[in-house]
Amino acid sequence: MNALPFLVVVWLLVVGLYGIATCRNSIYLVSALVVAQSSGYLLLLSVGYVNKGTAPITGDIPGTRIMVDPVVQALTLTDIVVGATVSALLLALALQRHKRSGTLDPKSEPPMRG
Amino acid sequence: MNDRLRNTLFGFAAALLAGGLVAAFTSLPTFGRQSGAYRALVLESMEPMRHAQQAVAAVTFDYRGFDTLAEEFILFAAVAGGLLLLRRQEDEETREPTDQAPDRAGIEAAPAVLGLGVVMFPFTLLLGIYVVLHGHLTPGGGFQGGVLVATAFYYVYLSGEYGDLLKIKRDHLASHLEAAGAMSYAIIGAIPLLSGYHYMRNLFPLGVSGELLSTGSLPLLNTAVGIEVASAFVLLIAAFLRQVLVIRREKKS
């Protein structure tokens, strides 16, 4: 059971990469990228977890409780928001490409214009 | 490269990668028994040194404040790139949104949907502002609260009043706020340089632990990030909406 979080991390990463390698639609490609990215969040949070740990907030929680690692949580939270805007950028790219070439297939020839 | 060759190649590479990752993860400490050096260091030092009670915010905006500056500018650059791509291109024209099916009756938003938007908008806005301002005390902060504030404007869209969002374009207040949020993070970090300290040093009064104005620069940085994230997401939805409703390909006649 202890290896389960790490196995899920590997599974999410490989499934996301499979989606990126085989998809025929740029919008699916962005979704697959988000799946692969989420494996990173899970890895970070599993590395920082401590058995029976609670949220690292000392205000209302008695100081005797064990707390999980706040460093990896900070890394994850900034990346979730930044990742959302990067997805928006990629979707804008897909949209412009569809307007130029009429296709969303990432395997077709990219549109060229002088 | 045909599909079959590509998939076989990917299968091999993925199996290799997965095997390597599993091998690497087995030499990690057992799940739940980790004792990273920084965990203890941050949890012990944040209250005496920074009067901070929320370790995640303390790490994001104080211990790792300089990294967050970089991450904030990744967000800024991604939004700038997205808005650049969603501009009107030279072979397109902008037109007022028109009814595409004038023979049918217009689809009016149901009163319940409209009412829900009217109810949810102020409460979501308030919750977002609360989460931004209390980011250093309770779970939350500029990044999460900023998204919540932007969600309030998504309710405007969902309740059918998207005409209001179309007014957000170049030189709208939101674009100025986004740039101001990004810049003020960099400027707040630069203030200690004037007194000869290093960049991002927390020089502001630390206050009483657990109060709204405490932990020095944390609330200021949270607010700067909150303003930037909120206006970034509002600008993005407005840009995608303009793309769908206003920008049309010019007829080649």
Side-chain angles (χ1 to χ4, degrees):
Chain A
M1 272 311 276
N2 280 329
L4 189 63
F6 297 124
L7 289 178
V8 177
V9 168
V10 175
W11 173 247
L12 278 177
L13 181 64
V14 173
V15 162
L17 289 178
Y18 174 78
I20 292 170
T22 58
C23 72
R24 307 300 303 260
N25 185 319
S26 303
I27 292 170
Y28 292 162
L29 196 144
V30 177
S31 317
L33 188 72
V34 173
V35 171
Q37 201 181 6
S38 61
S39 75
Y41 307 150
L42 187 62
L43 176 63
L44 281 171
L45 294 179
S46 339
V47 163
Y49 182 70
V50 182
N51 274 341
K52 292 182 183 144
T54 175
I57 297 162
T58 54
D60 297 323
I61 299 166
T64 48
R65 290 292 303 272
I66 305 168
M67 289 175 182
V68 297
D69 193 343
V71 179
V72 288
Q73 296 202 350
L75 293 176
T76 309
L77 96 83
T78 43
D79 191 56
I80 289 173
V81 176
V82 173
T85 53
V86 173
S87 309
L89 172 65
L90 291 173
L91 288 173
L93 270 173
L95 196 130
Q96 282 301 347
R97 183 187 175 174
H98 184 255
K99 281 203 289 194
R100 297 269 155 255
S101 62
T103 174
L104 273 171
D105 188 351
K107 282 176 193 152
S108 64
E109 289 290 311
M112 296 285 186
R113 211 160 57 109
Chain B
M1 201 193 283
N2 65 14
D3 277 1
R4 201 149 162 208
L5 181 63
R6 188 200 308 261
N7 289 355
T8 327
L9 208 64
F10 171 79
F12 273 122
L16 216 65
L17 177 72
L21 281 175
V22 170
F25 288 153
T26 48
S27 41
L28 277 178
T30 323
F31 175 71
R33 299 257 172 83
Q34 279 80 0
S35 50
Y38 290 112
R39 185 183 75 89
L41 204 68
V42 169
L43 289 175
E44 278 162 24
S45 68
M46 68 169 182
E47 196 130 20
M49 282 176 71
R50 290 288 183 263
H51 298 196
Q53 294 188 326
Q54 214 261 68
V56 179
V59 170
T60 312
F61 295 108
D62 198 322
Y63 295 84
R64 281 184 74 249
F66 190 63
D67 297 346
T68 307
L69 175 77
E71 265 156 19
E72 201 207 6
F73 275 91
I74 297 174
L75 187 144
F76 188 78
V79 173
L83 295 179
L84 195 69
L85 281 169
L86 294 172
R87 282 182 316 175
R88 183 181 64 82
Q89 306 292 311
E90 54 192 13
D91 58 346
E92 291 169 341
E93 60 169 4
T94 53
R95 243 184 256 160
E96 284 305 303
T98 48
D99 198 347
Q100 301 288 330
D103 50 326
R104 277 183 247 162
I107 303 167
E108 296 295 323
V113 176
L114 209 61
L116 195 70
V118 169
V119 172
M120 291 305 282
F121 177 76
F123 284 109
T124 317
L125 202 64
L126 197 67
L127 180 69
I129 293 169
Y130 168 84
V131 170
V132 171
L133 291 181
H134 291 75
H136 56 297
L137 301 173
T138 55
F143 285 100
Q144 302 93 314
V147 175
L148 269 174
V149 171
T151 312
F153 291 92
Y154 283 50
Y155 275 114
V156 177
Y157 163 70
L158 283 178
S159 57
E161 296 291 312
Y162 48 77
D164 295 345
L165 288 177
L166 288 177
K167 289 176 197 142
I168 300 172
K169 41 190 165 185
R170 263 178 68 192
D171 289 334
H172 187 268
L173 180 66
S175 58
H176 294 301
L177 278 179
E178 199 218 353
M183 244 2 254
S184 43
Y185 192 103
I187 290 171
I188 293 166
I191 288 172
L193 295 177
L194 299 175
S195 350
Y197 293 103
H198 58 78
Y199 191 75
M200 295 286 312
R201 191 186 162 105
N202 198 340
L203 275 186
F204 294 88
L206 292 176
V208 181
S209 199
E211 283 191 0
L212 186 59
L213 289 175
S214 63
T215 65
S217 56
L218 254 67
L220 292 173
L221 294 175
N222 256 331
T223 314
V225 168
I227 290 171
E228 192 205 345
V229 171
S231 29
F233 277 83
V234 170
L235 285 174
L236 275 179
I237 190 187
F240 275 104
L241 204 61
R242 285 179 64 75
Q243 194 65 231
V244 174
L245 289 176
V246 179
I247 295 179
R248 292 277 172 270
R249 173 155 282 196
E250 228 164 6
K251 291 266 166 54
K252 281 173 194 151
S253 56

